[in-house]
């Protein structure tokens, strides 16, 4: 359910929250009738005429497993309202989760949604959840967007309590800067709520539904910049107080007491950062300056971003470490096992006399025992010297006889094997979908720090044959060689990797495996795969990987099941 909450678009929210927009009732540019909204009235979902027309424009019956464009497989419906639906889906071409909004082509909001989605996609700002596709075909209009399973809605975050001052500072800073960039390109959101802001595991905030969310609900506005600024102020207010800054409850948050009006966050909850409290009021009260300080209100995201930048930077809280318990000494350390401390002796305690060692053996029996022990020691030394001399003589004899040393040298050479020179390397992809073909030669360059890497997959360690049977490389040894073993260096460890070698007829990347001869396989969780071969003779060898361990994201690739090959060598 956590994954669902992070990807579903908040287009079906009818929780009755106070809208944050100014009055509007004009038609949009494409002729779709706009939703009338007011800053102090309940958010209606379009006019009755428009909603009736939307309900009549019902899409064809869709179900889990249905495919769009032979590519997007619908998995779970997360919203169904006013003739449109939102789904969690799978992009089977790129093997990743996506979100999809679907409307009938004759839906009154179809064209505004297409226009909004395409405009949002052109922005390309990573601070927003990206629109990946916007298509009208087969009597349907659908918009495909990113799905972020590792992100959490701000609604869920605030359910656990208000944010720390540093986190709230980051929230208002990132969201205001992102919306300022969007408004510079002529785009507005008009529905920024705790459900439309996501926080990733790295602490970054992403905004979803830019322009699209308002188009799906038929919302338009005369003052979009002021509307979005007030919405950001409501986010900051909620983050500081865990309360919704209006009288009615919304987004899982309790509203303010009725009849009190809008009061500053630091008057709602003790310990609120004073500067952030005043900033929230400057964004929310757009009819004049705040009561506490004569600061001008922020009416645009650009002004709000500048006000945040002018504040003294709020540092993150210092990491606190628990004090370890005091070290408990053992009984040996508390006693007289170690040297006694140099403390003066207390009165009333006599100093203990030191016991003298026993006298040496002076009797007749003692002298006889000493002579017996000495004789035994001399005999042992003589026996050891004789055995040492005998061993040295045998080694000298073996050194002089070359026949004795020849078999051991031959066996050592045989166990090590002779390396086979690799002439060429290429990627092997019989399904026509290469991974990183330009990196294939990095596996024979003699540098373990360079490698060929596969893409990451969500299922593993064993690859799903329905999507990908395997990934591999093919090598040219120059001529037919007798191969006794192969070593494949692996970049990622953990779980397990399965590597199988095949004898191919050419360096072709598309020769089917069914036409090749299987040479050997190895399953390992370490940093290299060792494949021992018996009576294998080939010129072209395919290294085929069918299972890969899980690897976290590294800045270049996202987390998933993937593997890399560092260096490959063959021995005869």
């Amino acid at each position: 359910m956590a994954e669902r909450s992070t990807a579903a678009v908040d287009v079906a929210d009818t929780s009755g929250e106070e809208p944050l927009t100014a009055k509007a009732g004009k038609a949009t540019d494409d002729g779709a009738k706009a939703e009338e909204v007011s800053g102090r009235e309940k958010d209606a979902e379009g006019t009755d005429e428009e909603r009736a027309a939307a309900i009549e424009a019902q899409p064809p019956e869709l179900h889990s497993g249905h495919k769009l464009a032979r590519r997007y497989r619908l998995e779970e419906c997360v919203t169904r309202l006013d003739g449109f639906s939102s789904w969690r889906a799978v992009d089977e071409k790129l093997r990743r989760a996506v979100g999809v909004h679907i409307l009938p082509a004759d839906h009154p909001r179809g064209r505004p949604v297409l226009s909004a989605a395409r405009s949002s996609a052109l922005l390309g700002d990573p601070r927003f959840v990206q629109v990946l596709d916007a298509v009208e075909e087969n009597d349907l209009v659908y918009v495909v967007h990113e799905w972020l399973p590792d992100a959490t809605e701000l609604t869920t975050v605030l359910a656990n309590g208000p944010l720390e001052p540093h986190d709230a500072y980051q929230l208002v800073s990132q969201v205001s800067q992102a919306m300022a960039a969007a408004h510079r390109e002529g785009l507005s959101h008009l529905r920024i709520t705790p459900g439309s802001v996501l926080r990733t595991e790295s602490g970054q905030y992403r905004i979803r539904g830019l322009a699209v969310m308002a188009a799906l609900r038929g919302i338009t506005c005369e003052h979009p910049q002021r509307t979005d600024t007030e919405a950001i102020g409501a986010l900051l207010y909620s983050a500081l107080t865990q309360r919704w800054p209006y009288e009615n409850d919304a987004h899982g948050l309790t509203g303010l007491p009725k009849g009190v009006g809008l009061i500053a966050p630091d008057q709602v909850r003790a310990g609120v950062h004073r500067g952030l409290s005043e900033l929230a009021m400057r964004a929310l009260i757009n009819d004049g300056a705040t009561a506490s300080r004569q600061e001008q209100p922020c009416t645009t995201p650009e002004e709000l971003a500048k006000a945040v930048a002018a504040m003294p930077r709020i540092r993150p809280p210092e990491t606190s470490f628990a004090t370890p318990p005091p070290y408990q000494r053992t009984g040996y350390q508390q006693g007289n096992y170690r040297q006694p401390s140099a403390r003066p002796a207390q009165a009333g305690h006599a100093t203990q006399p030191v016991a003298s060692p026993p006298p040496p053996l002076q009797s007749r029996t003692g002298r006889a025992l000493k002579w017996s022990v000495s004789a035994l020691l001399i005999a042992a030394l003589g026996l050891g010297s004789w055995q040492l001399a005998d061993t040295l003589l045998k080694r000298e004899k073996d050194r002089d006889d070359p026949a004795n040393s020849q078999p051991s040298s031959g066996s050592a050479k045989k166990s090590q094997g002779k390396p086979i020179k690799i002439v060429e390397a290429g990627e092997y992809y019989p399904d026509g979908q290469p991974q990183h073909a330009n990196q294939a030669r990095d596996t024979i360059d003699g540098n373990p720090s360079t490698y060929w890497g596969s893409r990451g997959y969500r299922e593993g360690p064993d690859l799903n044959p329905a999507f990908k049977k395997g990934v591999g490389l093919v090598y040219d040894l120059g001529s037919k060689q007798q191969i006794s073993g192969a070593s494949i260096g692996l970049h990622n460890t953990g779980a397990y990797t399965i590597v199988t070698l095949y004898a191919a007829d050419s360096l072709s990347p598309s020769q089917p495996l069914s036409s090749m001869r299987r040479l050997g396989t190895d399953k390992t969780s370490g940093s290299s795969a060792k494949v021992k071969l018996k009576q294998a003779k080939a010129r072209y060898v395919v290294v085929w990987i069918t299972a890969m361990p899980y690897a976290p994201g590294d800045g270049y690739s996202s987390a998933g099941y993937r593997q890399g090959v560092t260096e490959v060598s063959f021995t005869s």
Side-chain angles (χ1 to χ4, degrees):
M1 293 302 295
E3 183 178 84
R4 171 176 174 175
S5 68
T6 59
V9 172
D10 180 25
V11 293
D13 183 10
T14 56
S15 57
E17 73 275 15
E18 286 289 344
L20 308 174
T21 58
K23 290 185 177 180
K26 297 183 178 180
T28 56
D29 294 337
D30 48 22
K33 201 169 185 181
E35 172 185 352
E36 182 178 352
V37 293
S38 170
R40 294 294 178 266
E41 297 176 359
K42 185 176 179 180
D43 184 5
E45 297 183 4
T47 62
D48 294 338
E49 295 179 0
E50 182 193 16
R51 188 170 186 182
I55 294 175
E56 291 178 0
Q58 291 293 338
E61 187 66 25
L62 301 175
H63 54 82
S64 298
H66 182 86
K67 289 187 181 180
L68 300 173
R70 299 182 180 181
R71 174 175 179 176
Y72 305 110
R73 185 180 75 247
L74 302 182
E75 293 288 330
E76 178 187 10
C77 182
V78 294
T79 299
R80 195 183 297 275
L81 178 72
D82 288 354
F84 71 85
S85 57
S86 299
W87 294 75
R88 176 175 61 84
V90 174
D91 183 350
E92 295 186 340
K93 184 175 181 180
L94 299 179
R95 287 180 56 85
R96 62 180 179 182
V98 295
V100 183
H101 306 304
I102 305 175
L103 304 87
D106 58 350
H107 196 288
R109 301 172 189 167
R111 293 187 63 189
V113 169
L114 270 181
S115 177
R118 289 167 179 170
S119 299
S120 177
L122 291 175
L123 181 62
D125 193 318
R127 293 171 292 193
F128 295 92
V129 175
Q130 298 295 300
V131 172
L132 305 176
D133 208 350
V135 181
E136 178 180 0
E137 66 176 8
N138 297 332
D139 299 327
L140 287 178
V141 170
Y142 57 89
V143 176
V144 184
H145 62 86
E146 281 185 298
W147 187 279
L148 305 176
D150 62 338
T152 307
E153 284 185 1
L154 187 60
T155 305
T156 305
V157 176
L158 295 181
N160 299 323
L163 299 184
E164 294 291 335
H166 176 264
D167 292 334
Y169 173 83
Q170 290 295 326
L171 169 67
V172 67
S173 175
Q174 295 181 29
V175 174
S176 61
Q177 290 178 17
M179 289 309 305
H183 279 283
R184 284 195 292 268
E185 300 297 328
L187 294 173
S188 57
H189 196 290
L190 305 184
R191 191 151 179 91
I192 300 176
T193 66
S196 61
V197 177
L198 310 176
R199 186 170 75 174
T200 64
E201 292 180 347
S202 62
Q204 301 298 312
Y205 291 93
R206 308 261 319 254
I207 307 170
R208 63 183 174 194
L210 177 66
V212 176
M213 190 177 293
L216 282 168
R217 301 200 47 166
I219 301 175
T220 186
C221 180
E222 293 180 355
H223 305 288
Q225 295 204 48
R226 179 170 170 174
T227 299
D228 285 340
T229 305
E230 190 175 342
I232 300 172
L235 287 183
L236 178 58
Y237 194 104
S238 303
L240 295 173
T241 64
Q242 203 184 9
R243 300 286 293 267
W244 190 239
Y246 301 102
E247 291 184 352
N248 57 313
D249 302 344
H251 309 293
L253 301 171
T254 305
L256 298 178
K258 297 185 181 297
V260 175
L262 184 59
I263 55 179
D266 55 0
Q267 298 178 12
V268 176
R269 175 177 166 267
V272 173
H273 189 276
R274 181 70 178 275
L276 292 176
S277 176
E278 294 178 355
L279 191 66
M281 297 300 288
R282 291 179 62 186
L284 282 171
I285 303 179
N286 286 318
D287 297 328
T290 61
S292 58
R293 293 179 59 186
Q294 295 302 315
E295 297 284 355
Q296 291 298 319
C298 299
T299 58
T300 66
E302 187 78 34
E303 292 178 359
L304 183 58
K306 291 180 179 178
V308 175
M311 288 180 56
R313 185 173 181 180
I314 302 176
R315 297 182 179 274
E318 296 183 359
T319 305
S320 59
F321 299 95
T323 304
Y327 180 70
Q328 299 294 332
R329 293 178 177 271
T330 63
Y332 291 105
Q333 293 169 327
Q334 292 174 351
N336 295 326
Y337 181 75
R338 295 193 175 187
Q339 292 183 354
S341 60
R343 289 182 296 181
Q346 297 180 0
H349 293 275
T351 305
Q352 297 293 331
V354 180
S356 59
L361 299 176
Q362 299 294 340
S363 63
R364 183 181 300 178
T365 305
R367 288 195 295 270
L369 181 59
K370 287 193 293 185
W371 283 108
S372 300
V373 172
S374 300
L376 288 175
L377 289 175
I378 294 172
L381 289 173
L383 180 61
S385 301
W386 177 80
Q387 289 179 344
L388 178 61
D390 184 63
T391 302
L392 293 175
L393 288 174
K394 285 184 178 180
R395 289 186 179 178
E396 187 69 23
K397 183 178 180 182
D398 292 340
R399 189 182 298 114
D400 295 338
D401 189 358
N404 294 335
S405 60
Q406 187 173 359
S408 60
S409 175
S411 62
K413 291 182 179 179
K414 183 176 181 181
S415 61
Q416 294 176 358
K418 182 179 179 182
I420 300 175
K421 183 179 180 182
I422 301 175
V423 177
E424 187 59 73
E427 188 170 321
Y428 175 69
Y429 45 96
D431 58 357
Q433 299 179 6
Q435 305 285 300
H436 298 96
N438 60 328
Q439 299 175 357
R441 290 192 59 85
D442 291 341
T443 63
I444 59 172
D445 62 355
N447 184 3
S449 63
T450 60
Y451 62 93
W452 167 89
S454 73
R455 294 175 181 171
Y457 297 94
R458 290 186 178 272
E459 300 179 31
D462 296 296
L463 294 178
N464 187 345
F467 297 101
K468 195 73 172 178
K469 295 183 179 180
V471 297
L473 300 158
V474 58
Y475 297 93
D476 182 6
L477 307 183
S479 61
K480 275 196 173 184
Q481 302 283 344
Q482 188 73 32
I483 308 172
S484 63
S487 176
I488 299 93
L490 303 176
H491 185 257
N492 298 321
T493 59
Y496 57 86
T497 302
I498 298 179
V499 180
T500 306
L501 302 187
Y502 291 89
D505 297 332
S506 65
L507 204 63
S508 170
S510 58
Q511 181 183 352
L513 281 175
S514 57
S515 65
M516 301 182 190
R517 178 165 50 91
R518 185 176 178 275
L519 301 179
T521 188
D522 184 33
K523 180 178 179 180
T524 179
S525 59
S527 59
S528 65
K530 305 290 185 181
V531 184
K532 294 183 179 180
L533 310 177
K534 293 183 179 180
Q535 298 180 352
K537 194 171 185 180
R539 173 177 176 177
Y540 302 98
V541 180
V542 169
V543 176
W544 186 239
I545 302 175
T546 54
M548 301 182 290
Y550 181 84
D554 55 6
Y556 299 95
S557 303
S558 58
Y561 293 91
R562 64 176 187 269
Q563 186 56 277
V565 177
T566 56
E567 289 295 314
V568 173
S569 61
F570 300 95
T571 55
S572 59

